[in-house]
């Protein structure tokens, strides 16, 4: 099976190399781009970041007491997110300024959404329906209350919370037979409150739009909204190409056309003052690794959802950019001193628990050697939550062949 995947990947990368050579700087135009990313004729469920097969694999490993899955499960169950006494804290209007200041409901929303997903995972693995009911209670509380997101961080906040809600909803709707009376109201919340805030993207730092597209793709899967899925995926492809540099892009990184980064000076400024471009570098590397990690994580999540839905992006430029970004940042996250040309010789580490999904897809499934990423991933296990939109990925994706 691995040999077949390697051959497939080699063919795809050969196609990609040919395409890259023909792509003008700043313009993204992949062969068949008008159809390759199209929503499936029938969506797969559960199908947002985690598939039925991946859930079954994790469940079996935990039941067998195998590591690292059992340790990851225990970590999740001991967290505040799995607390069955948790009281939802919904807000009608969530107001989030820059860096969540002011913070009127921002933390409550993100953490209740993560808790809903945590409880959904706990339900699936334990089959204790108290967790399914708690997940539903959290989703119901917010769908009965929230009307809007406001202030400067509204798009990003909506992207973060909107990435977790559909992951929870997919597991509950498609694996729990106990009923969900207010599912239609929850769907209306996603369609009317969340999707309009994220679907048109952002011209801010790249992690914003990537997280927003993660939310838009996940919501589109749950709503079975093919039009929104296609729109979000197109924006995701353009933004991913503009977020991680490959030498084959040319002298300068690709850009998002709406940002009008039409000179080298503008591009360098947008890339945090970095003027030397090397494969694997991110648009936010010289800002800090934490925000870069948000972008890398969102890329892996969308790629994973796309694969579950029938289009494997890991063999395209998305997979190559993800592989290179993971390797590049893992190297310095592990402690290697940056050269003087990189961010002035100083980097702000703190990549976060964001490597499991991409590492599993590229290494476990496709057999790609990823020495630095492997070392960092194994060192960080079990990967917990970043308390924003990433949670329990050692449990769901470590060495998971499904």
């Amino acid at each position: 099976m691995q040999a077949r995947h390697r051959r497939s990947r080699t063919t795809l990368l050969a196609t990609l190399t040919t395409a890259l050579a023909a792509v003008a700087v700043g313009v993204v135009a992949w062969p068949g781009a008008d159809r390759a990313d199209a929503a499936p004729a029938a969506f797969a469920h559960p199908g947002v970041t985690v598939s039925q097969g991946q859930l079954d694999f994790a469940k079996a490993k935990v039941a067998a007491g195998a590591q690292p899955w059992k340790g990851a499960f225990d970590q999740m169950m001991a967290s505040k997110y799995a607390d069955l006494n948790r009281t939802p804290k919904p807000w009608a209007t969530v107001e989030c300024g820059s860096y969540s200041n002011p913070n009127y409901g921002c933390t409550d929303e993100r953490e209740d959404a993560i808790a809903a997903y945590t409880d959904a995972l706990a339900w699936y693995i334990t089959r204790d329906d108290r967790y399914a009911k708690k997940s539903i209670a959290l989703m119901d509380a917010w769908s009965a209350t929230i009307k809007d997101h406001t202030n400067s961080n509204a798009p990003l906040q909506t992207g973060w919370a909107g990435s977790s809600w559909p992951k929870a909803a997919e597991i509950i709707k498609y694996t729990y037979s106990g009923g969900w009376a207010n599912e239609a109201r929850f769907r209306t919340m996603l369609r009317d409150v969340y999707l309009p805030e994220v679907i048109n993207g952002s011209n801010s730092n790249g992690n914003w739009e990537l997280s927003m597209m993660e939310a838009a793709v996940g919501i589109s899967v749950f709503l079975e909204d093919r039009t929104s899925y296609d729109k979000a995926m197109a924006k995701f492809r353009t933004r991913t190409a503009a977020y991680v540099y490959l030498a084959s892009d040319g002298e300068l990184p690709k850009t998002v056309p709406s940002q009008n980064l039409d000179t080298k000076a503008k591009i360098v400024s947008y890339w945090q003052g970095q003027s030397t471009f090397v494969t694997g570098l991110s648009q936010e590397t010289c800002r800090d690794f934490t925000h870069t990690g948000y972008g890398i994580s969102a890329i892996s999540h969308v790629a994973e959802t796309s694969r579950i839905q029938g289009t494997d992006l890991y063999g395209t430029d998305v997979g190559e950019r993800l592989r290179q970004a993971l390797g590049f940042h893992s190297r310095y996250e592990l402690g290697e001193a940056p050269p003087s040309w990189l961010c002035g010789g100083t980097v702000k580490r703190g990549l976060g628990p964001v490597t499991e999904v991409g590492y599993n897809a590229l290494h476990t499934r496709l057999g790609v050697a990823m020495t630095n990423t492997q070392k960092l991933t194994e060192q960080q296990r079990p990967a917990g939550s970043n308390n924003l939109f990433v949670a329990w990925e050692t449990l769901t994706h470590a060495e998971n062949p499904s």
Side-chain angles (χ1 to χ4, degrees), residues 22 33 60 65 202 208 280 312 366 393:
S202 166
W208 277 50
D312 195 336
L366 295 178
E393 293 181 348

Side-chain angles (χ1 to χ4, degrees), residues 12-35:
L12 284 165
L13 286 176
T15 301
L16 170 65
T17 300
T18 301
L20 285 167
V23 174
V25 173
V27 178
V28 181
W30 308 105
D34 59 332
R35 60 183 185 275

Side-chain angles (χ1 to χ4, degrees), residues 277-296:
F277 301 103
V278 296
T279 292
L281 183 77
S282 158
Q283 179 254 315
E284 295 186 90
T285 300
C286 294
R287 180 187 185 185
D288 58 60
F289 279 22
T290 301
H291 286 88
T292 299
Y294 299 164
I296 291 172

Side-chain angles (χ1 to χ4, degrees), residues 18-324:
T18 301
L20 285 167
V23 174
V25 173
V27 178
V28 181
W30 308 105
D34 59 332
R35 60 183 185 275
D37 301 328
F43 285 97
H45 303 289
V48 178
T49 309
V50 184
S51 69
Q52 181 80 56
Q54 288 170 323
L55 289 168
D56 288 339
F57 176 87
K59 184 177 188 296
K61 289 295 186 181
V62 171
Q67 298 297 354
W69 305 274
K70 181 60 166 62
F73 173 75
D74 290 343
Q75 174 197 42
M76 180 183 80
M77 297 303 289
S79 75
K80 62 184 178 181
Y81 298 114
D83 184 358
L84 287 170
N85 294 315
R86 184 182 189 88
T87 301
K89 297 178 180 177
W91 293 63
T93 299
V94 174
E95 181 180 355
C96 306
S98 182
Y99 292 92
S100 293
N101 182 24
N103 182 340
Y104 298 131
C106 316
T107 301
D108 292 336
E109 181 187 30
R110 294 193 305 264
E111 294 193 351
D112 275 354
I114 292 173
Y117 175 54
T118 300
D119 288 327
L121 287 174
W123 141 253
Y124 195 87
I125 291 173
T126 67
R127 295 307 161 120
D128 182 339
D129 68 357
R130 293 178 302 165
Y131 290 103
K133 290 175 180 176
K134 176 58 70 171
S135 182
I136 290 170
L138 289 160
M139 291 188 283
D140 282 355
W142 280 88
S143 69
T145 307
I146 189 166
K147 302 299 181 187
D148 197 13
H149 296 85
T150 64
N151 214 321
S152 59
N153 259 33
L156 182 60
Q157 170 73 19
T158 311
W160 283 341
S163 294
S164 296
W165 289 128
K167 289 193 290 187
E170 281 282 301
I171 295 173
I172 295 300
K173 176 175 173 61
Y174 292 100
T175 73
Y176 178 62
S177 60
W180 181 7
N182 295 309
E183 180 204 337
R185 188 178 72 199
F186 182 82
R187 295 171 68 87
T188 298
M189 177 191 80
L190 292 183
R191 180 173 295 284
D192 294 349
V193 179
Y194 286 83
L195 192 58
E197 189 70 46
V198 297
I199 191 64
N200 292 317
S202 166
N203 286 324
S204 185
N205 282 302
N207 82 86
W208 277 50
E209 186 162 87
L210 288 166
S211 289
M212 292 163 69
M213 291 310 105
E214 177 184 346
V217 167
I219 290 168
S220 297
V221 170
F222 185 68
L223 297 179
E224 298 197 323
D225 180 344
R226 301 182 78 251
T227 299
S228 295
Y229 184 96
D230 289 346
K231 182 175 180 178
M233 193 61 72
K235 284 186 174 295
F236 167 76
R237 292 296 298 271
T238 300
R239 176 61 69 174
T240 298
Y243 195 67
V244 179
Y245 177 79
L246 297 178
S248 52
D249 292 339
E251 178 187 356
L252 298 174
K254 295 184 180 297
T255 65
V256 175
S258 61
Q259 292 188 270
N260 299 311
L261 300 175
D262 51 7
T263 68
K264 181 175 182 178
K266 288 181 181 179
I267 292 172
V268 169
S269 176
Y270 184 59
W271 281 64
Q272 318 296 324
Q274 178 69 15
S275 59
T276 300
F277 301 103
V278 296
T279 292
L281 183 77
S282 158
Q283 179 254 315
E284 295 186 90
T285 300
C286 294
R287 180 187 185 185
D288 58 60
F289 279 22
T290 301
H291 286 88
T292 299
Y294 299 164
I296 291 172
S297 181
I299 292 170
S300 69
H301 291 166
V302 175
E304 195 72 352
T305 296
S306 177
R307 184 189 68 87
I308 295 167
Q309 298 306 326
T311 299
D312 195 336
L313 296 178
Y314 291 112
T316 71
D317 79 297
V318 171
E320 184 63 5
R321 291 178 198 278
L322 178 59
R323 179 178 79 89
Q324 295 292 351

